[in-house]
């Protein structure tokens, strides 16, 4: 995957940084990967609760991926999911 696409794609960022995350941050990543559609409408606190981590850990997760905060991660999630669904629709 080229570097520019990875910068824009949340799923690629999670997969490429997974091994450098703490176990608690991994839980957030796993939850997002497995529940992307639902996460698009969830708050940081809701994702943290479902991932069984603290709000601070969910925020730290977004920063570990290179985002400034949760909102920037959510925007990337929505864009990544739209691209993924668009590709599936064209198949």
């Amino acid at each position: 995957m080229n570097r520019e696409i990875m910068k824009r794609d949340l799923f690629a960022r999670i997969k490429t940084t997974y091994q450098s995350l703490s176990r608690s941050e991994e839980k957030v990543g796993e939850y997002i990967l497995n529940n992307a559609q639902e996460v698009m409408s969830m708050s940081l606190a809701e994702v943290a609760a479902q991932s069984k981590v603290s709000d601070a850990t969910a925020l730290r997760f977004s920063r570990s991926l290179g985002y400034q905060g949760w909102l920037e991660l959510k925007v990337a999630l929505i864009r990544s999911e739209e691209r993924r669904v668009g590709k599936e629709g064209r198949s």
Side-chain angles (χ1 to χ4, degrees):
M1 177 173 287
N2 94 26
R3 213 176 183 98
E4 187 58 35
I5 291 172
M6 192 183 88
K7 282 184 185 177
R8 293 180 288 151
D9 187 76
L10 174 67
F11 305 122
R13 279 192 188 196
I14 293 172
K15 290 172 185 172
T16 58
T17 61
Y18 191 82
Q19 291 186 357
S20 67
L21 299 172
S22 70
R23 180 61 196 128
S24 294
E25 290 171 331
E26 288 175 358
K27 290 179 182 181
V28 179
E30 289 168 8
Y31 186 80
I32 291 172
L33 289 173
N34 293 325
N35 302 282
Q37 289 283 323
E38 295 83 5
V39 172
M40 289 193 301
S41 63
M42 294 171 72
S43 69
L44 178 142
E46 291 169 327
V47 172
Q50 291 298 315
S51 303
K52 297 181 178 38
V53 302
S54 69
D55 293 5
T57 297
L59 181 58
R60 200 166 38 253
F61 169 79
S62 67
R63 292 183 177 154
S64 293
L65 294 183
Y67 298 106
Q68 290 183 350
W70 186 253
L71 181 59
E72 190 176 13
L73 180 144
K74 289 253 319 229
V75 169
L77 171 61
I78 292 166
R79 289 181 177 156
S80 297
E81 186 66 4
E82 286 173 347
R83 277 194 298 279
R84 189 176 67 86
V85 170
K87 287 179 184 175
E88 289 174 1
R90 288 181 285 207
S91 299

